């Protein structure tokens, strides 16, 4: 196959390359979602604690108080999700012309494990940002400890929450 070209292969590679560029929008999308999640988590905290919640007022109070922590956390989630999706797309791109090296499976598995560990950590970290008044490094440390202690329930929760996203992703592959 050296030196041979096929118009179908070139078109398929172009499609996969455009998909990888399109998936770059995941990162700023998650960043903006993080700013909104700061207000959402603040409102949810007040509801859980039984406090009187005025949704509009408390939403923007949560955004004002916690926007940067949630923005950073969701940006990190966006980078990890992009890495996960890009590794799958890279494998699909390389398998089109039967040029996928043996190590691409290893990269996909490692990125999948990293994504799972990140989501397990974030399941614990995101609610603790606005529930406790600690410095960010202590919140991260406590969330790491708690996520390792409750690893199995957190993995089950991540898998249950991933079902709708997996169903949506099934349509695009």
């Amino acid at each position: 196959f050296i030196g041979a070209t096929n118009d179908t292969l070139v078109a398929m590679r172009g499609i996969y390359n455009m998909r990888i560029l399109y998936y770059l929008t995941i990162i700023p999308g998650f960043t903006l979602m993080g700013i909104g999640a700061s207000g959402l988590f603040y409102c949810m905290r007040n509801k859980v604690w039984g406090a009187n919640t005025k949704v509009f007022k408390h939403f923007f109070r949560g955004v004002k108080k916690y926007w940067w922590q949630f923005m950073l956390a969701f940006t990190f989630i966006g980078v990890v999700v992009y890495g996960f999706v890009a590794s799958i797309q890279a494998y699909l791109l390389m398998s089109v012309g039967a040029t996928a090296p043996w190590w691409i499976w290893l990269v996909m598995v490692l990125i999948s494990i990293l994504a799972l560990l990140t989501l397990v950590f974030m399941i614990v970290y995101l609610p603790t940002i606005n529930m406790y008044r600690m410095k960010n490094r202590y919140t991260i440390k406590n969330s790491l400890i708690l996520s390792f202690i409750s690893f199995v329930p957190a993995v089950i929760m991540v898998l249950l929450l991933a079902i709708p996203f997996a169903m949506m992703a099934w349509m695009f592959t």
Side-chain angles (χ1 to χ4, degrees), residues 34-46:
I35 294 171
S38 62
L40 175 70
F41 273 77
Y42 190 78
C43 288
M44 288 189 322
R45 181 198 76 169
N46 290 342

Side-chain angles (χ1 to χ4, degrees), residues 52-140:
N52 187 13
T53 305
K54 296 177 182 165
V55 177
F56 193 77
K57 180 180 174 184
H58 286 103
F59 177 83
F60 286 105
R61 185 179 295 164
V63 170
K64 181 180 173 185
K65 290 173 90 173
Y66 302 108
W67 69 271
W68 69 272
Q69 290 122 325
F70 278 89
M71 185 185 71
L72 290 176
F74 273 82
T75 302
F76 185 72
I77 293 171
V79 169
V80 170
V81 168
Y82 174 74
F84 176 70
V85 171
S87 71
I88 293 172
Q89 287 296 317
Y91 170 73
L92 291 174
L93 172 63
M94 291 179 193
S95 66
V96 165
T99 59
W102 63 271
W103 50 265
I104 196 71
W105 279 99
L106 182 64
V107 169
M108 283 178 33
V109 167
L110 291 176
I111 290 178
S112 300
I113 291 170
L114 175 69
L116 179 68
L117 291 175
T118 300
L119 292 177
V120 165
F121 169 73
M122 289 298 174
I123 285 277
V124 178
Y125 175 68
L126 290 174
T128 58
I129 290 174
N130 62 7
M131 292 186 91
Y132 305 105
R133 293 186 184 175
M134 296 184 283
K135 291 185 177 180
N136 202 26
R137 65 179 175 181
Y138 296 124
T139 306
I140 292 171

